[in-house]
Amino acid sequence: MNWDSDFALTILPELLSGLLVTLQVTFAGIAIALAVGMAVAVLRYLRIPVLSPVLGFYVLFVRGTPLLVQAYAAFFILPDYGLTLSPLLTGIIVMGVNYSAYTAEVYRAGIESVGKGQWEAATALSLPGRATWTRIVLPQAVRTIVPMQGNYLIQMFKDSAILSAITVVELLGAAQKIGSGNYRYLEPLTIAALLFLAISYPSSIAIRRLERRLAGAQ
């Protein structure tokens, strides 16, 4: 099968539409992952009876099961229990929940990297718990983990292709739809791969530069 440039140009708008969905999933999913991950990390660090072990199991379970299985379960099983969501919303939530387990561990490492003297200083100043976390601990912790969280953002962007399995027409889903409808897979899959690369490669360079800048500022 030879490359057909005219066909490639005609399918480009549909693939760009799929790319837009991929970006929506990525940014909405990472927002959920960062928020939930921070909450899980802080609550686990506080070692609250019952809650901390439950959250520990949550992290273990989510990290120990494949993302595709989680997506299938949310899309095909939850409706049997009265919880029916659109494929796109289901995909966003699944991605966010899945990555929250990973970001929680990164947050935990960042929190534990904060020096003991910082906690002692907060105690000496009689700062309330909320102020200690929001003004002293979390700003320092987040600074050290920004590069790692950025890498998860790029990974989520690429992993969003899994959601085509639950009928989300993101970039890969659009390419598969075009390929099956026209019996030509060369152009749509190639363009999809190039679009993934065009986003992820510059992003990875930006993350590395940010990492060097933060390291130099410490």
Side-chain angles (χ1 to χ4, degrees):
M1 182 180 295
N2 296 322
W3 178 269
D4 188 336
S5 297
D6 292 334
F7 177 63
L9 288 175
T10 61
I11 65 175
L12 185 57
E14 187 172 352
L15 291 172
L16 290 176
S17 178
L19 175 61
L20 179 60
V21 174
T22 294
L23 292 173
Q24 290 175 339
V25 170
T26 301
F27 288 114
I30 199 65
I32 293 173
L34 293 176
V36 175
M38 179 179 289
V40 170
V42 171
L43 291 173
R44 289 186 68 192
Y45 188 85
L46 294 175
R47 295 177 175 83
I48 301 173
V50 180
L51 181 58
S52 291
V54 169
L55 292 176
F57 176 77
Y58 163 81
V59 171
L60 179 65
F61 178 82
V62 172
R63 294 181 66 186
T65 55
L67 175 58
L68 182 58
V69 173
Q70 296 169 14
Y72 275 136
F75 189 70
F76 293 108
I77 297 178
L78 291 184
D80 293 338
Y81 295 91
L83 185 57
T84 302
L85 302 172
S86 68
L88 179 59
L89 184 55
T90 300
I92 289 173
I93 294 174
V94 167
M95 295 295 290
V97 169
N98 179 271
Y99 273 80
S100 70
Y102 294 91
T103 60
E105 288 297 278
V106 176
Y107 278 124
R108 179 186 60 80
I111 292 170
E112 292 179 350
S113 70
V114 176
K116 184 179 178 180
Q118 301 292 320
W119 295 93
E120 293 174 346
T123 302
L125 293 172
S126 300
L127 290 178
R130 177 176 295 183
T132 299
W133 280 101
T134 58
R135 297 182 182 180
I136 297 178
V137 177
L138 290 179
Q140 295 183 67
V142 169
R143 184 183 183 87
T144 62
I145 64 175
V146 165
M148 181 60 71
Q149 303 292 39
N151 289 331
Y152 279 134
L153 173 64
I154 298 172
Q155 187 63 43
M156 181 182 288
F157 171 71
K158 293 183 290 184
D159 281 351
S160 63
I162 291 175
L163 300 182
S164 62
I166 59 171
T167 72
V168 176
V169 187
E170 41 65 66
L171 181 53
L172 179 60
Q176 291 175 324
K177 180 181 177 182
I178 293 170
S180 61
N182 295 274
Y183 301 102
R184 291 188 65 93
Y185 286 92
L186 175 62
E187 294 85 358
L189 291 180
T190 300
I191 295 174
L194 291 175
L195 288 174
F196 273 115
L197 182 63
I199 299 295
S200 60
Y201 181 66
S203 299
S204 64
I205 293 176
I207 293 298
R208 286 198 296 269
R209 289 180 177 176
L210 178 61
E211 184 176 5
R212 288 196 296 266
R213 178 175 297 181
L214 291 175
Q218 292 178 358

